[in-house]
Amino acid sequence: MSADAEGFDRKVPLPPELKIAHIRRAIDYIERETSELIEVYFEQANVFSGLVGIFGVRALHALSPYKKHKHPDVAQQRFPDLSLGGKLSPPPEQALESKGTTRPWALQSHYNHAGWYIVWRYLVDPTGMIKAGKKVVIWRVDVAFLKEDDWKYEGSNAAEGRGGRTHTFGVKLPASRFSSAIAYRHPKIILRQSRPTLANGEE
DNA sequence: GGTGACGGTCTGAGTCATCA
DNA sequence: TGATGACTCAGACCGTCACC
């Protein structure tokens, strides 16, 4: 990887007109805002991941040329989260979806839409030791253009009277797919046993 | 207006395959 | 043999929309 001292890799392809500076400022924004809501993580971690994705959308909407759909009711439930200039039906090359997750590689969605995906991979550090005063740390940002072929269908056995999750799509071979899409990686955090860990052994 | 289906966001855990 | 990655299943919650 050819990252700079801060952890940003300028060789990773980005969506048109999206710059490393936009990502850097978005990381600051997400970490600052979500650190205020840390108690939500301990109540319902999956909901908190949704919040991380939402704050990612808000940050890029405010800081980059990518804008939310101009109709709020559509923006909150339709693909994509953002598009270049806020176009209503952007081509995949100008569609940008924001997702937050704690997982090191995997990515799931209910659809296999083609487009750009920016994945905010975060960890929760209640001590605020990794980044001073930040209880939520974005330790990696993946930016990748995914085609329909990059997704695989993951079915569901949910049934009446039994419950279960709805079906999803998952990215095929996520580790190899995202290994070349790491736009930012915290210089002091490494993966150990598939978990982000401080390089000196502390988490 | 109430209700249920559906679409949307995720997580954790168990198991298996692969590789050094 | 242990570490890691992939696969699969199970669970939670919220908002919108169509239908009655």
Side-chain angles (χ1 to χ4, degrees):
Chain A
M1 154 172 166
S2 50
D4 61 20
E6 291 182 284
F8 291 96
D9 187 344
R10 287 172 169 75
K11 291 185 178 177
V12 170
L14 299 178
E17 299 186 38
L18 187 70
K19 310 296 182 190
I20 287 292
H22 300 139
I23 296 175
R24 178 193 289 113
R25 293 170 68 188
I27 290 172
D28 286 341
Y29 176 83
I30 295 168
E31 289 178 339
R32 183 175 66 247
E33 295 298 322
T34 55
S35 289
E36 301 293 320
L37 303 170
I38 193 68
E39 68 275 11
V40 175
Y41 177 83
F42 296 106
E43 290 286 336
Q44 191 77 44
N46 59 330
V47 172
F48 189 79
S49 293
L51 286 174
V52 172
I54 289 168
F55 278 107
V57 170
R58 289 175 61 172
L60 293 175
H61 175 77
L63 304 169
S64 82
Y66 284 80
K67 305 299 179 186
K68 292 190 285 188
H69 196 294
K70 66 180 184 180
H71 299 305
D73 58 324
V74 174
Q76 64 184 278
Q77 63 173 16
R78 299 279 180 84
F79 180 92
D81 291 329
L82 299 151
S83 62
L84 186 58
K87 286 181 183 173
L88 299 184
S89 297
E93 293 75 18
Q94 296 179 8
L96 180 60
E97 186 78 355
S98 167
K99 291 183 175 297
T101 182
T102 62
R103 296 195 160 187
W105 298 109
L107 184 66
Q108 284 182 311
S109 179
H110 273 285
Y111 279 104
N112 55 344
H113 293 299
W116 286 94
Y117 287 76
I118 184 163
V119 187
W120 313 98
R121 301 192 189 271
Y122 71 94
L123 59 84
V124 172
D125 172 29
T127 66
M129 290 175 63
I130 297 176
K131 279 191 179 179
K134 300 282 180 60
K135 295 180 179 177
V136 176
V137 175
I138 306 290
W139 62 275
R140 213 179 76 211
V141 179
D142 298 340
V143 184
F145 184 82
L146 300 178
K147 306 183 297 295
E148 287 187 15
D149 288 349
D150 288 317
W151 297 92
K152 64 180 183 300
Y153 180 71
E154 296 177 352
S156 169
N157 289 329
E160 184 176 346
R162 193 175 58 180
R165 67 128 174 64
T166 49
H167 68 227
T168 57
F169 286 86
V171 173
K172 299 174 186 172
L173 303 175
S176 57
R177 182 63 188 83
F178 288 119
S179 63
S180 60
I182 300 172
Y184 166 76
R185 175 157 50 195
H186 192 295
K188 294 182 180 177
I189 292 179
I190 60 173
L191 275 179
R192 183 173 294 159
Q193 295 184 331
S194 298
R195 304 292 296 180
T197 307
L198 261 184
N200 65 5
E202 299 173 43
E203 188 170 352

PDB file of all heavy atoms in Angstrom, chain A residues 82-113:
ATOM      1  N   LEU A  82     -26.152   9.128  -2.233  1.00  0.00           N
ATOM      2  CA  LEU A  82     -25.629  10.386  -2.770  1.00  0.00           C
ATOM      3  C   LEU A  82     -25.390  10.230  -4.264  1.00  0.00           C
ATOM      4  O   LEU A  82     -25.178   9.130  -4.763  1.00  0.00           O
ATOM      5  CB  LEU A  82     -24.294  10.748  -2.097  1.00  0.00           C
ATOM      6  CG  LEU A  82     -24.316  10.958  -0.594  1.00  0.00           C
ATOM      7  CD1 LEU A  82     -22.962  10.599   0.009  1.00  0.00           C
ATOM      8  CD2 LEU A  82     -24.671  12.399  -0.253  1.00  0.00           C
ATOM      9  N   SER A  83     -25.411  11.358  -4.950  1.00  0.00           N
ATOM     10  CA  SER A  83     -25.047  11.331  -6.357  1.00  0.00           C
ATOM     11  C   SER A  83     -24.322  12.623  -6.687  1.00  0.00           C
ATOM     12  O   SER A  83     -24.471  13.631  -5.980  1.00  0.00           O
ATOM     13  CB  SER A  83     -26.284  11.182  -7.242  1.00  0.00           C
ATOM     14  OG  SER A  83     -27.148  12.288  -7.067  1.00  0.00           O
ATOM     15  N   LEU A  84     -23.531  12.575  -7.744  1.00  0.00           N
ATOM     16  CA  LEU A  84     -22.765  13.758  -8.127  1.00  0.00           C
ATOM     17  C   LEU A  84     -23.725  14.887  -8.504  1.00  0.00           C
ATOM     18  O   LEU A  84     -24.526  14.750  -9.433  1.00  0.00           O
ATOM     19  CB  LEU A  84     -21.843  13.429  -9.305  1.00  0.00           C
ATOM     20  CG  LEU A  84     -20.876  14.525  -9.743  1.00  0.00           C
ATOM     21  CD1 LEU A  84     -19.970  14.934  -8.583  1.00  0.00           C
ATOM     22  CD2 LEU A  84     -20.030  14.050 -10.927  1.00  0.00           C
ATOM     23  N   GLY A  85     -23.682  15.947  -7.758  1.00  0.00           N
ATOM     24  CA  GLY A  85     -24.561  17.080  -8.004  1.00  0.00           C
ATOM     25  C   GLY A  85     -26.003  16.859  -7.583  1.00  0.00           C
ATOM     26  O   GLY A  85     -26.872  17.685  -7.866  1.00  0.00           O
ATOM     27  N   GLY A  86     -26.282  15.732  -6.928  1.00  0.00           N
ATOM     28  CA  GLY A  86     -27.644  15.453  -6.473  1.00  0.00           C
ATOM     29  C   GLY A  86     -28.592  15.016  -7.575  1.00  0.00           C
ATOM     30  O   GLY A  86     -29.803  15.165  -7.474  1.00  0.00           O
ATOM     31  N   LYS A  87     -28.029  14.432  -8.653  1.00  0.00           N
ATOM     32  CA  LYS A  87     -28.857  13.968  -9.765  1.00  0.00           C
ATOM     33  C   LYS A  87     -29.911  12.964  -9.289  1.00  0.00           C
ATOM     34  O   LYS A  87     -29.652  12.151  -8.409  1.00  0.00           O
ATOM     35  CB  LYS A  87     -27.976  13.319 -10.839  1.00  0.00           C
ATOM     36  CG  LYS A  87     -27.167  14.303 -11.650  1.00  0.00           C
ATOM     37  CD  LYS A  87     -26.360  13.561 -12.705  1.00  0.00           C
ATOM     38  CE  LYS A  87     -25.490  14.546 -13.482  1.00  0.00           C
ATOM     39  NZ  LYS A  87     -24.565  13.846 -14.399  1.00  0.00           N
ATOM     40  N   LEU A  88     -31.079  13.011  -9.911  1.00  0.00           N
ATOM     41  CA  LEU A  88     -32.183  12.163  -9.465  1.00  0.00           C
ATOM     42  C   LEU A  88     -31.940  10.694  -9.797  1.00  0.00           C
ATOM     43  O   LEU A  88     -32.161   9.827  -8.982  1.00  0.00           O
ATOM     44  CB  LEU A  88     -33.494  12.637 -10.101  1.00  0.00           C
ATOM     45  CG  LEU A  88     -33.907  14.066  -9.740  1.00  0.00           C
ATOM     46  CD1 LEU A  88     -35.265  14.376 -10.338  1.00  0.00           C
ATOM     47  CD2 LEU A  88     -33.940  14.259  -8.227  1.00  0.00           C
ATOM     48  N   SER A  89     -31.518  10.403 -11.009  1.00  0.00           N
ATOM     49  CA  SER A  89     -31.259   9.013 -11.403  1.00  0.00           C
ATOM     50  C   SER A  89     -29.874   8.938 -12.020  1.00  0.00           C
ATOM     51  O   SER A  89     -29.729   8.828 -13.236  1.00  0.00           O
ATOM     52  CB  SER A  89     -32.319   8.541 -12.393  1.00  0.00           C
ATOM     53  OG  SER A  89     -33.591   8.551 -11.785  1.00  0.00           O
ATOM     54  N   PRO A  90     -28.861   8.984 -11.190  1.00  0.00           N
ATOM     55  CA  PRO A  90     -27.494   9.050 -11.700  1.00  0.00           C
ATOM     56  C   PRO A  90     -27.056   7.731 -12.334  1.00  0.00           C
ATOM     57  O   PRO A  90     -27.536   6.656 -11.946  1.00  0.00           O
ATOM     58  CB  PRO A  90     -26.676   9.340 -10.442  1.00  0.00           C
ATOM     59  CG  PRO A  90     -27.453   8.693  -9.354  1.00  0.00           C
ATOM     60  CD  PRO A  90     -28.897   8.901  -9.722  1.00  0.00           C
ATOM     61  N   PRO A  91     -26.135   7.779 -13.285  1.00  0.00           N
ATOM     62  CA  PRO A  91     -25.527   6.537 -13.767  1.00  0.00           C
ATOM     63  C   PRO A  91     -24.693   5.948 -12.635  1.00  0.00           C
ATOM     64  O   PRO A  91     -24.288   6.672 -11.711  1.00  0.00           O
ATOM     65  CB  PRO A  91     -24.641   7.012 -14.930  1.00  0.00           C
ATOM     66  CG  PRO A  91     -24.358   8.449 -14.627  1.00  0.00           C
ATOM     67  CD  PRO A  91     -25.575   8.966 -13.924  1.00  0.00           C
ATOM     68  N   PRO A  92     -24.422   4.641 -12.664  1.00  0.00           N
ATOM     69  CA  PRO A  92     -23.672   4.022 -11.564  1.00  0.00           C
ATOM     70  C   PRO A  92     -22.364   4.736 -11.256  1.00  0.00           C
ATOM     71  O   PRO A  92     -21.950   4.801 -10.091  1.00  0.00           O
ATOM     72  CB  PRO A  92     -23.417   2.597 -12.084  1.00  0.00           C
ATOM     73  CG  PRO A  92     -24.549   2.342 -13.015  1.00  0.00           C
ATOM     74  CD  PRO A  92     -24.836   3.664 -13.682  1.00  0.00           C
ATOM     75  N   GLU A  93     -21.725   5.287 -12.292  1.00  0.00           N
ATOM     76  CA  GLU A  93     -20.422   5.942 -12.097  1.00  0.00           C
ATOM     77  C   GLU A  93     -20.542   7.201 -11.237  1.00  0.00           C
ATOM     78  O   GLU A  93     -19.556   7.712 -10.729  1.00  0.00           O
ATOM     79  CB  GLU A  93     -19.804   6.311 -13.446  1.00  0.00           C
ATOM     80  CG  GLU A  93     -19.393   5.126 -14.301  1.00  0.00           C
ATOM     81  CD  GLU A  93     -20.598   4.439 -14.944  1.00  0.00           C
ATOM     82  OE1 GLU A  93     -21.692   5.063 -15.015  1.00  0.00           O
ATOM     83  OE2 GLU A  93     -20.473   3.258 -15.344  1.00  0.00           O
ATOM     84  N   GLN A  94     -21.755   7.716 -11.084  1.00  0.00           N
ATOM     85  CA  GLN A  94     -21.950   8.937 -10.297  1.00  0.00           C
ATOM     86  C   GLN A  94     -22.831   8.696  -9.084  1.00  0.00           C
ATOM     87  O   GLN A  94     -23.301   9.638  -8.451  1.00  0.00           O
ATOM     88  CB  GLN A  94     -22.547  10.035 -11.185  1.00  0.00           C
ATOM     89  CG  GLN A  94     -21.628  10.454 -12.317  1.00  0.00           C
ATOM     90  CD  GLN A  94     -22.245  11.524 -13.195  1.00  0.00           C
ATOM     91  OE1 GLN A  94     -23.307  12.074 -12.907  1.00  0.00           O
ATOM     92  NE2 GLN A  94     -21.574  11.841 -14.295  1.00  0.00           N
ATOM     93  N   ALA A  95     -23.061   7.411  -8.768  1.00  0.00           N
ATOM     94  CA  ALA A  95     -23.874   7.053  -7.594  1.00  0.00           C
ATOM     95  C   ALA A  95     -22.934   6.641  -6.462  1.00  0.00           C
ATOM     96  O   ALA A  95     -21.972   5.911  -6.675  1.00  0.00           O
ATOM     97  CB  ALA A  95     -24.811   5.903  -7.944  1.00  0.00           C
ATOM     98  N   LEU A  96     -23.209   7.134  -5.274  1.00  0.00           N
ATOM     99  CA  LEU A  96     -22.332   6.847  -4.133  1.00  0.00           C
ATOM    100  C   LEU A  96     -23.176   6.431  -2.932  1.00  0.00           C
ATOM    101  O   LEU A  96     -24.062   7.162  -2.495  1.00  0.00           O
ATOM    102  CB  LEU A  96     -21.495   8.088  -3.794  1.00  0.00           C
ATOM    103  CG  LEU A  96     -20.521   7.965  -2.609  1.00  0.00           C
ATOM    104  CD1 LEU A  96     -19.500   6.868  -2.859  1.00  0.00           C
ATOM    105  CD2 LEU A  96     -19.807   9.295  -2.382  1.00  0.00           C
ATOM    106  N   GLU A  97     -22.893   5.245  -2.423  1.00  0.00           N
ATOM    107  CA  GLU A  97     -23.618   4.699  -1.286  1.00  0.00           C
ATOM    108  C   GLU A  97     -22.685   4.694  -0.067  1.00  0.00           C
ATOM    109  O   GLU A  97     -21.525   4.295  -0.168  1.00  0.00           O
ATOM    110  CB  GLU A  97     -24.078   3.264  -1.599  1.00  0.00           C
ATOM    111  CG  GLU A  97     -24.973   2.632  -0.557  1.00  0.00           C
ATOM    112  CD  GLU A  97     -26.429   3.106  -0.622  1.00  0.00           C
ATOM    113  OE1 GLU A  97     -26.738   3.992  -1.420  1.00  0.00           O
ATOM    114  OE2 GLU A  97     -27.238   2.573   0.144  1.00  0.00           O
ATOM    115  N   SER A  98     -23.174   5.142   1.080  1.00  0.00           N
ATOM    116  CA  SER A  98     -22.388   5.219   2.311  1.00  0.00           C
ATOM    117  C   SER A  98     -22.837   4.132   3.276  1.00  0.00           C
ATOM    118  O   SER A  98     -24.026   3.994   3.557  1.00  0.00           O
ATOM    119  CB  SER A  98     -22.571   6.604   2.946  1.00  0.00           C
ATOM    120  OG  SER A  98     -22.073   6.628   4.271  1.00  0.00           O
ATOM    121  N   LYS A  99     -21.864   3.361   3.784  1.00  0.00           N
ATOM    122  CA  LYS A  99     -22.198   2.291   4.724  1.00  0.00           C
ATOM    123  C   LYS A  99     -21.234   2.288   5.903  1.00  0.00           C
ATOM    124  O   LYS A  99     -20.045   2.521   5.733  1.00  0.00           O
ATOM    125  CB  LYS A  99     -22.153   0.927   4.017  1.00  0.00           C
ATOM    126  CG  LYS A  99     -23.270   0.725   3.005  1.00  0.00           C
ATOM    127  CD  LYS A  99     -23.208  -0.654   2.402  1.00  0.00           C
ATOM    128  CE  LYS A  99     -24.395  -0.894   1.479  1.00  0.00           C
ATOM    129  NZ  LYS A  99     -25.691  -0.857   2.186  1.00  0.00           N
ATOM    130  N   GLY A 100     -21.765   2.039   7.070  1.00  0.00           N
ATOM    131  CA  GLY A 100     -20.941   1.954   8.270  1.00  0.00           C
ATOM    132  C   GLY A 100     -20.954   0.539   8.810  1.00  0.00           C
ATOM    133  O   GLY A 100     -21.998  -0.105   8.854  1.00  0.00           O
ATOM    134  N   THR A 101     -19.796   0.043   9.211  1.00  0.00           N
ATOM    135  CA  THR A 101     -19.723  -1.318   9.747  1.00  0.00           C
ATOM    136  C   THR A 101     -18.515  -1.468  10.660  1.00  0.00           C
ATOM    137  O   THR A 101     -17.539  -0.725  10.551  1.00  0.00           O
ATOM    138  CB  THR A 101     -19.643  -2.364   8.611  1.00  0.00           C
ATOM    139  OG1 THR A 101     -19.608  -3.677   9.163  1.00  0.00           O
ATOM    140  CG2 THR A 101     -18.404  -2.158   7.769  1.00  0.00           C
ATOM    141  N   THR A 102     -18.587  -2.427  11.560  1.00  0.00           N
ATOM    142  CA  THR A 102     -17.425  -2.747  12.404  1.00  0.00           C
ATOM    143  C   THR A 102     -16.633  -3.899  11.807  1.00  0.00           C
ATOM    144  O   THR A 102     -15.569  -4.249  12.314  1.00  0.00           O
ATOM    145  CB  THR A 102     -17.870  -3.161  13.814  1.00  0.00           C
ATOM    146  OG1 THR A 102     -18.677  -4.338  13.715  1.00  0.00           O
ATOM    147  CG2 THR A 102     -18.644  -2.045  14.496  1.00  0.00           C
ATOM    148  N   ARG A 103     -17.180  -4.537  10.782  1.00  0.00           N
ATOM    149  CA  ARG A 103     -16.533  -5.725  10.237  1.00  0.00           C
ATOM    150  C   ARG A 103     -15.312  -5.367   9.400  1.00  0.00           C
ATOM    151  O   ARG A 103     -15.280  -4.348   8.731  1.00  0.00           O
ATOM    152  CB  ARG A 103     -17.530  -6.510   9.394  1.00  0.00           C
ATOM    153  CG  ARG A 103     -18.659  -7.031  10.232  1.00  0.00           C
ATOM    154  CD  ARG A 103     -19.437  -8.083   9.527  1.00  0.00           C
ATOM    155  NE  ARG A 103     -20.172  -8.864  10.516  1.00  0.00           N
ATOM    156  CZ  ARG A 103     -20.840  -9.946  10.232  1.00  0.00           C
ATOM    157  NH1 ARG A 103     -20.881 -10.391   9.012  1.00  0.00           N
ATOM    158  NH2 ARG A 103     -21.465 -10.602  11.176  1.00  0.00           N
ATOM    159  N   PRO A 104     -14.303  -6.240   9.414  1.00  0.00           N
ATOM    160  CA  PRO A 104     -13.063  -5.913   8.709  1.00  0.00           C
ATOM    161  C   PRO A 104     -13.167  -5.978   7.196  1.00  0.00           C
ATOM    162  O   PRO A 104     -12.445  -5.275   6.499  1.00  0.00           O
ATOM    163  CB  PRO A 104     -12.076  -6.951   9.245  1.00  0.00           C
ATOM    164  CG  PRO A 104     -12.914  -8.084   9.699  1.00  0.00           C
ATOM    165  CD  PRO A 104     -14.194  -7.481  10.183  1.00  0.00           C
ATOM    166  N   TRP A 105     -14.036  -6.821   6.673  1.00  0.00           N
ATOM    167  CA  TRP A 105     -14.120  -6.961   5.213  1.00  0.00           C
ATOM    168  C   TRP A 105     -15.554  -7.050   4.695  1.00  0.00           C
ATOM    169  O   TRP A 105     -15.875  -6.432   3.677  1.00  0.00           O
ATOM    170  CB  TRP A 105     -13.356  -8.224   4.744  1.00  0.00           C
ATOM    171  CG  TRP A 105     -11.905  -8.175   5.047  1.00  0.00           C
ATOM    172  CD1 TRP A 105     -11.241  -8.924   5.976  1.00  0.00           C
ATOM    173  CD2 TRP A 105     -10.916  -7.307   4.472  1.00  0.00           C
ATOM    174  NE1 TRP A 105      -9.914  -8.587   5.999  1.00  0.00           N
ATOM    175  CE2 TRP A 105      -9.691  -7.600   5.081  1.00  0.00           C
ATOM    176  CE3 TRP A 105     -10.954  -6.315   3.497  1.00  0.00           C
ATOM    177  CZ2 TRP A 105      -8.510  -6.925   4.751  1.00  0.00           C
ATOM    178  CZ3 TRP A 105      -9.793  -5.652   3.167  1.00  0.00           C
ATOM    179  CH2 TRP A 105      -8.583  -5.968   3.785  1.00  0.00           C
ATOM    180  N   ALA A 106     -16.388  -7.826   5.342  1.00  0.00           N
ATOM    181  CA  ALA A 106     -17.700  -8.136   4.775  1.00  0.00           C
ATOM    182  C   ALA A 106     -18.551  -6.893   4.559  1.00  0.00           C
ATOM    183  O   ALA A 106     -18.431  -5.890   5.261  1.00  0.00           O
ATOM    184  CB  ALA A 106     -18.435  -9.109   5.690  1.00  0.00           C
ATOM    185  N   LEU A 107     -19.407  -6.976   3.547  1.00  0.00           N
ATOM    186  CA  LEU A 107     -20.361  -5.899   3.277  1.00  0.00           C
ATOM    187  C   LEU A 107     -21.626  -6.531   2.736  1.00  0.00           C
ATOM    188  O   LEU A 107     -21.577  -7.368   1.839  1.00  0.00           O
ATOM    189  CB  LEU A 107     -19.787  -4.908   2.261  1.00  0.00           C
ATOM    190  CG  LEU A 107     -20.658  -3.677   1.976  1.00  0.00           C
ATOM    191  CD1 LEU A 107     -20.768  -2.804   3.222  1.00  0.00           C
ATOM    192  CD2 LEU A 107     -20.105  -2.870   0.825  1.00  0.00           C
ATOM    193  N   GLN A 108     -22.758  -6.156   3.316  1.00  0.00           N
ATOM    194  CA  GLN A 108     -24.041  -6.699   2.883  1.00  0.00           C
ATOM    195  C   GLN A 108     -24.987  -5.583   2.494  1.00  0.00           C
ATOM    196  O   GLN A 108     -24.878  -4.456   2.946  1.00  0.00           O
ATOM    197  CB  GLN A 108     -24.693  -7.509   4.008  1.00  0.00           C
ATOM    198  CG  GLN A 108     -24.074  -8.874   4.225  1.00  0.00           C
ATOM    199  CD  GLN A 108     -24.788  -9.625   5.318  1.00  0.00           C
ATOM    200  OE1 GLN A 108     -25.026  -9.103   6.392  1.00  0.00           O
ATOM    201  NE2 GLN A 108     -25.144 -10.863   5.042  1.00  0.00           N
ATOM    202  N   SER A 109     -25.950  -5.939   1.645  1.00  0.00           N
ATOM    203  CA  SER A 109     -26.990  -4.995   1.253  1.00  0.00           C
ATOM    204  C   SER A 109     -28.180  -5.803   0.774  1.00  0.00           C
ATOM    205  O   SER A 109     -28.050  -7.001   0.481  1.00  0.00           O
ATOM    206  CB  SER A 109     -26.481  -4.079   0.141  1.00  0.00           C
ATOM    207  OG  SER A 109     -27.495  -3.189  -0.257  1.00  0.00           O
ATOM    208  N   HIS A 110     -29.334  -5.185   0.707  1.00  0.00           N
ATOM    209  CA  HIS A 110     -30.503  -5.913   0.227  1.00  0.00           C
ATOM    210  C   HIS A 110     -30.595  -5.897  -1.288  1.00  0.00           C
ATOM    211  O   HIS A 110     -31.394  -6.617  -1.873  1.00  0.00           O
ATOM    212  CB  HIS A 110     -31.782  -5.332   0.825  1.00  0.00           C
ATOM    213  CG  HIS A 110     -32.129  -5.933   2.148  1.00  0.00           C
ATOM    214  ND1 HIS A 110     -32.659  -7.190   2.265  1.00  0.00           N
ATOM    215  CD2 HIS A 110     -31.955  -5.485   3.401  1.00  0.00           C
ATOM    216  CE1 HIS A 110     -32.838  -7.468   3.544  1.00  0.00           C
ATOM    217  NE2 HIS A 110     -32.417  -6.447   4.249  1.00  0.00           N
ATOM    218  N   TYR A 111     -29.795  -5.077  -1.931  1.00  0.00           N
ATOM    219  CA  TYR A 111     -29.783  -5.029  -3.392  1.00  0.00           C
ATOM    220  C   TYR A 111     -28.358  -5.115  -3.891  1.00  0.00           C
ATOM    221  O   TYR A 111     -27.396  -4.866  -3.157  1.00  0.00           O
ATOM    222  CB  TYR A 111     -30.436  -3.737  -3.898  1.00  0.00           C
ATOM    223  CG  TYR A 111     -31.928  -3.800  -3.923  1.00  0.00           C
ATOM    224  CD1 TYR A 111     -32.686  -3.146  -2.947  1.00  0.00           C
ATOM    225  CD2 TYR A 111     -32.590  -4.537  -4.890  1.00  0.00           C
ATOM    226  CE1 TYR A 111     -34.065  -3.210  -2.967  1.00  0.00           C
ATOM    227  CE2 TYR A 111     -33.965  -4.618  -4.915  1.00  0.00           C
ATOM    228  CZ  TYR A 111     -34.706  -3.943  -3.958  1.00  0.00           C
ATOM    229  OH  TYR A 111     -36.065  -4.020  -3.977  1.00  0.00           O
ATOM    230  N   ASN A 112     -28.246  -5.481  -5.151  1.00  0.00           N
ATOM    231  CA  ASN A 112     -26.914  -5.603  -5.750  1.00  0.00           C
ATOM    232  C   ASN A 112     -26.690  -4.469  -6.750  1.00  0.00           C
ATOM    233  O   ASN A 112     -26.179  -4.683  -7.844  1.00  0.00           O
ATOM    234  CB  ASN A 112     -26.754  -6.961  -6.439  1.00  0.00           C
ATOM    235  CG  ASN A 112     -27.844  -7.215  -7.472  1.00  0.00           C
ATOM    236  OD1 ASN A 112     -28.875  -6.545  -7.488  1.00  0.00           O
ATOM    237  ND2 ASN A 112     -27.629  -8.188  -8.327  1.00  0.00           N
ATOM    238  N   HIS A 113     -27.081  -3.255  -6.361  1.00  0.00           N
ATOM    239  CA  HIS A 113     -26.940  -2.121  -7.260  1.00  0.00           C
ATOM    240  C   HIS A 113     -25.473  -1.888  -7.625  1.00  0.00           C
ATOM    241  O   HIS A 113     -24.572  -2.008  -6.784  1.00  0.00           O
ATOM    242  CB  HIS A 113     -27.470  -0.854  -6.602  1.00  0.00           C
ATOM    243  CG  HIS A 113     -28.948  -0.864  -6.381  1.00  0.00           C
ATOM    244  ND1 HIS A 113     -29.857  -0.973  -7.409  1.00  0.00           N
ATOM    245  CD2 HIS A 113     -29.682  -0.783  -5.242  1.00  0.00           C
ATOM    246  CE1 HIS A 113     -31.085  -0.935  -6.921  1.00  0.00           C
ATOM    247  NE2 HIS A 113     -31.006  -0.832  -5.603  1.00  0.00           N
TER     248      HIS A 113
END
